[in-house]
Amino acid sequence: MTMDKTGHPHYMPTLDGVRGLACIIVVVHHFRQTFDIPVAMPWTEIGSLGVLIFFALSGFLMTRLYYNAALTYDSGAKYMVSRFARITPAYYIAIVFVWLIYLTHPEFEFQMDPVMLARSFMFIGSEGVFWSIPPEIQFYGFFVSMWFCHERFKAGNYWWTIVLAAISIFFIATKEFWPGILLPSKFHIFLYGFGVGVLIGHPAVRKYACNAYVQLALILAVAVYFDLFIVYETIYTDLLFPALVALMVMSLSVTTPVSWIFQIAPMRILGNASFSIYLFHHPLIQIYKHVVLPNDLPLAANFVIVMMISVGLPVAFYYLCERHLNRVAKDAGISLANKAKEKFIRRSPQASL
């Protein structure tokens, strides 16, 4: 049987809005940064909260969508194709876009020189917002090992899970010594997302941890902890804060009188286009500030214009271009995977990964 080309049947509409909120947090952060608007710590690092939400969401969604499915060649290949088809088209276009700006404006904040361009194409770049893509991609690959260990665990083989647990502990214990673009430095954030993705599968957790009261409590806990305890040096190394963020993501995945706002049309539009917004907003803000900006406009007017440009243009790009490229890339990837299966896997009595 060949892999089908349909989307995954699971869908949590509130999480579209949570993604939309996360990307708006990042946009506001870079507006404040570009226009030198002073704020007190830790709110200078509010953009990192948006990135934390994205990372926790990745761990949560990968777990909910794939972890309990059987790991076969078909399901594993479809997973990898879906992940890369979702990332690569917009990502590569954004890299080329920033490189072209750098060629014409060498003073541009994003120094996309030939070395960084090559690194970015290989998913090891660290310039601007692109630094967060490498650990995301690396987690996609590492998740397959978690999926594999789960399959072996269900079959009664616990050694793979013990090895995986040891590697996870090592990553967390040494997270501060790894470069920020490598998975171990952010692994605990993804792992929390993975953990709550497993937890929500239990009916009692879903009942008692995913209601309006708990959602409000977790939103408040995240805001208070961020305000009181987060500083620049600890935003990605703190162990408790990303756990609170992951719990908040889990709780908000269920529709309640609190979380319904995340599934209204504007929030879902922002969520659908969140990856394009994330990739393009900062260079667009830079272009507006250093190339287009009219003189003597008040800050509020600049904010409105920046939001229209840095959010509106990526949303248009998503609906006019990105989602179609994603579909083409996914179809091409699945076709290649099916051809590889016909050529190599069918010759073997074992067709599972």
Side-chain angles (χ1 to χ4, degrees):
M1 180 185 295
T2 60
M3 291 179 295
D4 63 41
K5 300 180 181 181
T6 60
H8 205 283
H10 299 291
Y11 177 55
M12 291 163 275
T14 55
L15 293 187
D16 282 344
V18 174
R19 274 194 297 268
L21 174 64
C23 74
I24 292 301
I25 288 173
V26 176
V27 173
V28 171
H29 165 74
H30 284 129
F31 172 82
R32 182 209 65 78
Q33 194 177 62
T34 303
F35 284 81
D36 299 317
I37 303 171
V39 294
M41 280 294 294
W43 300 98
T44 54
E45 299 305 316
I46 189 64
S48 298
L49 173 58
V51 176
L52 279 173
I53 293 173
F54 280 127
F55 285 166
L57 267 168
S58 287
F60 178 76
L61 288 171
M62 294 308 95
T63 306
R64 296 307 301 152
L65 297 179
Y66 300 101
Y67 191 60
N68 289 315
L71 179 58
T72 64
Y73 177 87
D74 286 354
S75 61
K78 185 176 180 181
Y79 159 76
M80 294 303 295
V81 167
S82 296
R83 293 302 93 206
F84 278 91
R86 176 70 180 90
I87 291 287
T88 50
Y91 174 71
Y92 283 143
I93 291 172
I95 290 171
V96 172
F97 175 66
V98 169
W99 174 65
L100 291 174
I101 299 172
Y102 171 73
L103 289 180
T104 55
H105 295 82
E107 74 283 2
F108 184 51
E109 183 174 321
F110 286 36
Q111 297 296 294
M112 192 60 73
D113 57 35
V115 173
M116 186 57 66
L117 180 67
R119 285 180 55 187
S120 298
F121 266 93
M122 294 185 291
F123 297 106
I124 53 174
S126 59
E127 192 64 20
V129 297
F130 302 128
W131 74 265
S132 66
I133 306 303
E136 183 93 13
I137 292 292
Q138 293 159 35
F139 174 71
Y140 292 162
F142 192 85
F143 177 78
V144 176
S145 68
M146 302 169 79
W147 194 359
F148 171 82
C149 291
H150 182 55
E151 287 282 282
R152 302 286 76 78
F153 186 88
K154 290 190 297 184
N157 186 339
Y158 307 135
W159 286 107
W160 289 104
T161 300
I162 293 172
V163 171
L164 183 69
I167 293 172
S168 299
I169 292 171
F170 173 73
F171 281 174
I172 295 172
T174 61
K175 64 183 183 302
E176 296 182 42
F177 301 100
W178 295 81
I181 63 170
L182 295 183
L183 175 63
S185 68
K186 308 296 183 296
F187 179 71
H188 59 296
I189 308 171
F190 292 106
L191 188 62
Y192 285 137
F194 165 81
V196 296
V198 173
L199 282 176
I200 200 175
H202 296 275
V205 172
R206 191 176 182 88
K207 178 179 179 181
Y208 294 108
C210 301
N211 58 66
Y213 300 107
V214 174
Q215 289 172 348
L216 284 173
L218 286 169
I219 292 171
L220 181 62
V222 167
V224 170
Y225 193 98
F226 182 81
D227 185 60
L228 295 181
F229 300 109
I230 292 298
V231 296
Y232 173 76
E233 293 81 5
T234 64
I235 187 67
Y236 290 116
T237 59
D238 188 282
L239 285 175
L240 179 57
F241 185 60
L244 290 174
V245 171
L247 286 169
M248 181 184 70
V249 166
M250 176 192 74
S251 189
L252 290 174
S253 68
V254 175
T255 302
T256 72
V258 170
S259 62
W260 71 268
I261 192 171
F262 292 108
Q263 65 182 61
I264 63 176
M267 295 300 294
R268 290 173 65 181
I269 289 171
L270 290 174
N272 288 334
S274 60
F275 189 55
S276 284
I277 296 172
Y278 182 79
L279 292 174
F280 288 101
H281 78 277
H282 199 188
L284 288 171
I285 293 174
Q286 291 289 311
I287 291 171
Y288 175 74
K289 171 71 181 294
H290 299 294
V291 180
V292 181
L293 177 64
N295 293 324
D296 302 324
L297 275 181
L299 185 62
N302 281 324
F303 179 75
V304 172
I305 296 172
V306 162
M307 294 301 288
M308 292 173 62
I309 292 173
S310 62
V311 175
L313 290 180
V315 167
F317 171 78
Y318 169 76
Y319 283 101
L320 295 175
C321 185
E322 183 193 349
R323 62 178 180 168
H324 303 294
L325 291 175
N326 292 345
R327 189 178 303 114
V328 170
K330 184 176 180 179
D331 288 347
I334 288 177
S335 177
L336 287 174
N338 283 329
K339 289 178 181 178
K341 180 180 179 179
E342 291 291 334
K343 186 173 182 179
F344 301 107
I345 305 299
R346 290 288 177 84
R347 296 177 181 177
S348 169
Q350 276 287 347
S352 61
L353 290 176

